[in-house]
Each structure stands twice: as structure tokens, then as C-alpha cells.
Amino acid sequence: MQRGIDAAHIQFWGHAVELQGRRANAGKVATMDAQVDCYLFLVAVRQLVRAVEFCRPYAMSEIDKALNEFKRAVPSWLVLRDVVKHFDKYERGIGKHQASGKLPTVL
């Protein structure tokens, strides 16, 4: 039963990533809607990664391999999500990654 619930989390957040990805890429560049969609995309990606990590006991080596490939392909994903989650600190120049100098160049 738990395995099915865990899989449902992956399906839910996977769908959220797809949905927000489509919205973020809908050509609404530099609009507030586009910003909101990009922020929600990053939150959904984080939740999907959490859901996948939650399923590690069912297929540890396969999940570890997939997560490592994702992290290599998108190395700044967690930093970007941190900027979104803690926007108040970054707006004031005191974000965790600002202090360390590890902000991705995309910002």
C-alpha cells in the first residue's frame, strides 16, 4: 500500500512539473504570470525530487543513478529553488548563496 502512495506522489509532482514547465515556456516572457509559473516550476521540481528520494528503498541503485544524472544535468536547480523560497533574504543581499558566492550566472 505505501509503495502505491509513494508512486502517486511521483505522478502528482511529475504532472506538476510538466504543467508548470509548459506554462513557463508559453511565450509570456517578462510577465508576472511567467515569473509565477517559473517559481512554481522550481517548487514542483523540488517536490518531485523529494518524492523520488522517498522511493529509494524500492529501487535504490536505479533511483540514485537517475538523481545523479538529473543533478549533473541541472547543477543549479537547488540553488534556484532556494532563491525562490527565501526571496526575502536574497532581495536584501543576505541569501545563503550570495554570501558564499555560489549564485548561478543565470541570476
Side-chain angles (χ1 to χ4, degrees):
M1 179 141 140
Q2 186 62 48
R3 192 176 194 148
I5 293 169
D6 295 345
H9 287 295
I10 291 175
Q11 288 178 316
F12 178 87
W13 288 111
H15 179 71
V17 166
E18 289 177 29
L19 182 62
Q20 288 306 133
R22 282 196 308 269
R23 289 179 179 172
N25 288 310
K28 305 173 290 185
V29 178
T31 67
M32 188 176 292
D33 286 352
Q35 273 190 306
V36 169
D37 288 332
C38 287
Y39 287 3
L40 293 175
F41 173 78
L42 291 168
V43 170
V45 167
R46 178 62 182 125
Q47 294 299 92
L48 177 59
V49 170
R50 280 192 174 124
V52 169
E53 289 171 341
F54 204 59
C55 292
R56 281 186 76 235
Y58 309 124
M60 194 171 296
S61 63
E62 293 89 348
I63 287 175
D64 286 347
K65 181 180 176 191
L67 286 171
N68 287 332
E69 287 176 17
F70 169 73
K71 291 172 184 178
R72 273 194 303 275
V74 190
S76 60
W77 75 276
L78 196 53
V79 173
L80 293 171
R81 198 271 326 168
D82 188 71
V83 171
V84 169
K85 184 175 179 186
H86 304 287
F87 74 92
D88 53 330
K89 290 183 171 69
Y90 286 91
E91 287 292 325
R92 288 166 181 76
I94 57 171
K96 176 171 74 173
H97 299 286
Q98 284 170 315
S100 68
K102 294 181 181 177
L103 276 177
T105 56
V106 70
L107 297 175

